[in-house]
Amino acid sequence: MIMRFMLLPWKPELVFTGTSIMGINPETGKFCSHADFWDSIKQNDYFSQEGLWDVLKQLRIYKTPDLETPKYQILKRTADYEVRKYTPFIVVEANGDKLAGSTGFNDVTGYIFGKNSRSEKIPMTTPVFTQAFDAELSKVSIQVVLPLEKDISSLPDPNQGTISLRKVEGGIAAVLKFSGRASEDIVKEKEKLLRSSLINDGLKPKTGCLLARYNDPGRTWSFIMRNEMLIWLEEFTLD
């Protein structure tokens, strides 16, 4: 269940996943009981304090720019992370220096601003990804997602040999959301925390990770920045 809390000016999104159990009176054929069990809490009692705190945590401000983003469906939300199913998307990417770095950013944004074989300007999207492909988080690329209506065969070629186009096939990812400045130490801490949570929950995280940064750091207060740590999963089934 996904809803907007309209009483606050920033209209935060509330997400609840879990199981609803409905009791039916065999004599009347009508519902006689209803119990919800959220994935994000352990105490599912009526008026659970843990449940109230789970709601309050979701009311905080995360600024998400009004730009196109990769499409995903939330399959499960726990106390620590979301599990999302992403549809395929295309990125323009270049080599980066570190997970929280910005090396290569001007190259990939230059492509969408017209530095390509057709001088074609392509709308900006969000977030900017940096992806680590190895366990040490040292082999990194920086990526900008291209609009979903674009097909990789019809896109203009890059002018620079240092950047390339790639189709990401999508799949299932676990996502940890956080705010503030995404320094290298903080990012690595979030990756370690998310990976540990996944392993403790019996899931199989793939090697590497992605850092998603949604905001312009020069124009956004740090406490409302939206950052996400993503780790692709080998497999996932809803219990």
Side-chain angles (χ1 to χ4, degrees), residues 17-33:
T17 65
T19 304
S20 292
I21 299 178
M22 311 291 289
I24 299 177
N25 187 321
E27 295 181 359
T28 63
K30 296 182 178 180
F31 292 114
C32 61
S33 65

Side-chain angles (χ1 to χ4, degrees), residues 48-160:
S48 161
Q49 290 185 347
E50 187 185 9
L52 176 60
W53 177 241
D54 185 62
V55 172
L56 293 176
K57 286 193 300 182
Q58 296 188 71
L59 297 181
R60 64 158 301 146
I61 303 176
Y62 282 108
K63 182 175 177 58
T64 303
D66 188 19
L67 298 171
E68 186 176 333
T69 64
K71 300 298 182 186
Y72 61 82
Q73 176 187 8
I74 299 174
L75 302 180
K76 186 174 183 177
R77 178 183 163 270
T78 74
D80 302 314
Y81 58 86
E82 291 179 354
V83 177
R84 301 175 182 172
K85 182 178 182 181
Y86 278 87
T87 59
F89 55 91
I90 299 170
V91 297
V92 54
E93 64 181 339
N95 288 334
D97 58 346
K98 54 186 179 179
L99 200 54
S102 58
T103 296
F105 178 75
N106 289 337
D107 292 337
V108 294
T109 53
Y111 173 85
I112 66 172
F113 293 152
K115 293 181 180 180
N116 53 62
S117 61
R118 295 201 297 264
S119 300
E120 178 182 339
K121 293 185 178 180
I122 299 170
M124 185 64 181
T125 63
T126 192
V128 173
F129 285 120
T130 43
Q131 180 171 7
F133 297 91
D134 60 337
E136 292 74 28
L137 310 184
S138 59
K139 183 182 178 182
V140 175
S141 78
I142 189 165
Q143 309 162 2
V144 169
V145 179
L146 299 181
L148 292 177
E149 75 270 9
K150 298 293 184 180
D151 183 86
I152 196 165
S153 62
S154 62
L155 285 165
D157 295 325
N159 285 347
Q160 297 175 262

Side-chain angles (χ1 to χ4, degrees), residues 216-229:
D216 181 343
R219 300 181 180 180
T220 312
W221 290 327
S222 63
F223 72 92
I224 62 174
M225 284 183 172
R226 178 181 173 183
N227 306 306
E228 293 176 342
M229 174 58 61

Side-chain angles (χ1 to χ4, degrees), residues 144-217:
V144 169
V145 179
L146 299 181
L148 292 177
E149 75 270 9
K150 298 293 184 180
D151 183 86
I152 196 165
S153 62
S154 62
L155 285 165
D157 295 325
N159 285 347
Q160 297 175 262
T162 55
I163 65 175
S164 60
L165 302 173
R166 178 168 62 91
K167 182 177 181 181
V168 179
E169 294 300 335
I172 308 297
V175 181
L176 185 156
K177 186 184 294 186
F178 63 101
S179 62
R181 301 286 176 180
S183 69
E184 191 73 6
D185 287 343
I186 290 174
V187 169
K188 288 184 175 180
E189 177 186 336
K190 298 299 183 183
E191 189 274 342
K192 187 180 297 184
L193 176 63
L194 177 56
R195 188 172 296 277
S196 176
S197 296
L198 297 175
I199 293 172
N200 289 339
D201 289 345
L203 299 177
K204 297 179 180 179
K206 293 185 178 181
T207 300
C209 65
L210 292 97
L211 170 65
R213 289 174 283 187
Y214 284 79
N215 311 107
D216 181 343

